[in-house]
Amino acid sequence: MTTTPLPAPDELARARLLVAPSLDGGLVRELERIAGRAAEPLTDVPPSPSGVPLLCVGETLPEALRTDRLLWFHSVNAGTDPLLSAGPWPAPALLTRTVGRMGERMAQYVLGWILAECQAVPEFTAQHDRAHWERLPTELIAGQTALIYGTGRIGAAVGRLLRACGVRTVGVARTTRSGPTPGAERGVVPGAAPVVPGPGPGVPGFDLVVGAGEDGGALAEARWVISTLPLTTATEGFFGAARFAAVRGATFVNVGRGATVDMGALEDALRDGRVRRAVLDVLPTEPAAPDDPVWRLPRTVITSHSSGITADEDVAVDFAACWEAVTAGRRPGLTVDVGRGY
């Protein structure tokens, strides 16, 4: 784990607040209230005087501000891979992110598409367009298995909602930062990293947690394979030919990052039936052009990176929580480990 120091109180007290010009005026006023100072535009022009530390809130960090003057950057997005891939991150700078109610929104997105599939919504919609009357079989979700990659705040929210509907949830984790929901039956497959209890909002509600290297059997059993993975050097192309070869008729849902999926391998798995359907809210290249081959993938629905749109309220609430933690000398729960990328 890469640990950056917390901003020193005297440095934070004199830091200039720079906010992205794209932020709504009401949100900017709330950020000013929380930080107790006026905001200035976050641009690619180095602010002066040059010796003053900087507190920034936005989506991207201009190259001119990637210096040791940066005290703290709060991302208005949950995914920070564009920030970290754009250039070296200033070592002393704290990086926090916005999650807000994104997990709740994304969980409802996943459940909505699962229910639509099981109630034959795509087929009934096609029948309606043809004015065709035919009874179709439907499917109950209770008792079936969802394999959820990522057991952090978002993956945990997906797991909790699906479990509430009777779905057996299996989480796939690389680390042991989260623990079991009280009363949940949990297990770890042989060879997987142990899972230890831990309090907090990131505690997932999974029936089973396995290590990323031990997911072959779970892939074969899953009715749904759901990715909430961030994009890091370890997850790029994570869903490739080997993983899709282990799937036995599951539907693949991606609400994480598009570049975690080898699209050629997914297409092969869709065409030979190993993957039943795909619901892709994210793609390796966005937005997809009208002539992009992804639009022609069989049995696939593409949505416009909209499963977890961040609201201004999310930014304000999460920045306030981070501010309260930092000023109290505590590391915010929304701190990003810049070494891991999440």
Side-chain angles (χ1 to χ4, degrees), residues 118-246:
C118 289
Q119 292 301 311
V121 170
E123 290 79 9
F124 278 122
T125 300
Q127 285 190 178
H128 176 88
D129 290 342
R130 304 193 311 272
H132 176 72
W133 179 285
E134 179 185 348
R135 280 189 172 182
L136 297 176
T138 58
E139 185 180 355
L140 295 175
I141 69 172
Q144 303 207 62
T145 298
L147 185 62
I148 302 170
Y149 285 81
T151 57
R153 292 170 182 261
I154 293 171
V158 174
R160 284 193 296 269
L161 186 57
L162 294 186
R163 286 187 76 226
C165 297
V167 176
R168 176 177 177 264
T169 56
V170 179
V172 183
R174 291 184 60 222
T175 65
T176 59
R177 62 184 174 184
S178 302
T181 298
E185 180 181 353
R186 296 289 295 276
V188 176
V189 298
V195 177
V196 297
V203 174
F206 297 107
D207 296 298
L208 182 74
V209 172
V210 302
E214 308 287 337
D215 60 349
L219 280 165
E221 296 175 359
R223 174 63 181 81
W224 298 282
V225 175
I226 301 159
S227 175
T228 69
L229 292 178
L231 179 60
T232 69
T233 54
T235 64
E236 186 171 4
F238 184 88
F239 293 97
R243 278 194 166 83
F244 285 127

Side-chain angles (χ1 to χ4, degrees), residues 23-34 312-313 316:
L23 300 189
D24 180 78
L27 173 58
V28 172
R29 287 189 292 274
E30 182 61 13
L31 296 175
E32 290 177 324
R33 185 194 66 79
I34 294 166
D312 286 351
E313 180 185 5

Side-chain angles (χ1 to χ4, degrees), residues 36-332:
R37 68 205 71 189
E40 304 170 60
L42 173 59
T43 67
D44 57 2
V45 178
S48 58
S50 60
V52 179
L54 305 176
L55 164 60
C56 302
V57 181
E59 309 98 339
T60 59
L61 179 63
E63 180 64 30
L65 302 185
R66 290 178 179 266
T67 70
D68 57 7
R69 294 182 58 197
L70 182 64
L71 195 66
W72 173 10
F73 189 100
H74 182 79
S75 171
V76 298
N77 298 316
T80 56
D81 46 287
L83 271 170
L84 297 176
S85 63
W89 188 256
L94 176 68
L95 175 59
T96 56
R97 65 188 183 125
T98 300
V99 175
R101 300 182 69 179
M102 183 177 296
E104 183 181 349
R105 293 186 181 95
M106 295 173 84
Q108 291 185 13
Y109 172 98
V110 171
L111 177 61
W113 282 104
I114 286 176
L115 291 173
E117 177 182 41
C118 289
Q119 292 301 311
V121 170
E123 290 79 9
F124 278 122
T125 300
Q127 285 190 178
H128 176 88
D129 290 342
R130 304 193 311 272
H132 176 72
W133 179 285
E134 179 185 348
R135 280 189 172 182
L136 297 176
T138 58
E139 185 180 355
L140 295 175
I141 69 172
Q144 303 207 62
T145 298
L147 185 62
I148 302 170
Y149 285 81
T151 57
R153 292 170 182 261
I154 293 171
V158 174
R160 284 193 296 269
L161 186 57
L162 294 186
R163 286 187 76 226
C165 297
V167 176
R168 176 177 177 264
T169 56
V170 179
V172 183
R174 291 184 60 222
T175 65
T176 59
R177 62 184 174 184
S178 302
T181 298
E185 180 181 353
R186 296 289 295 276
V188 176
V189 298
V195 177
V196 297
V203 174
F206 297 107
D207 296 298
L208 182 74
V209 172
V210 302
E214 308 287 337
D215 60 349
L219 280 165
E221 296 175 359
R223 174 63 181 81
W224 298 282
V225 175
I226 301 159
S227 175
T228 69
L229 292 178
L231 179 60
T232 69
T233 54
T235 64
E236 186 171 4
F238 184 88
F239 293 97
R243 278 194 166 83
F244 285 127
V247 174
R248 297 291 181 269
T251 292
F252 179 68
V253 182
N254 189 8
V255 293
R257 281 290 186 262
T260 62
V261 179
D262 178 334
M263 296 300 291
L266 174 59
E267 180 175 4
D268 289 344
L270 282 162
R271 295 197 183 280
D272 68 19
R274 282 172 290 141
V275 172
R276 184 179 312 202
R277 298 177 189 268
V279 178
L280 307 177
D281 188 50
V282 289
L283 297 170
T285 301
E286 298 177 359
D291 60 350
D292 193 311
V294 296
W295 296 111
R296 296 186 293 277
L297 290 175
R299 304 182 309 284
T300 295
V301 174
I302 294 171
T303 58
S304 52
H305 204 142
S306 57
S307 65
I309 294 175
T310 305
D312 286 351
E313 180 185 5
D314 296 329
V315 178
V317 169
D318 282 359
F319 179 72
C322 291
W323 180 269
E324 180 181 358
V326 168
T327 53
R330 303 190 311 271
R331 186 165 298 279

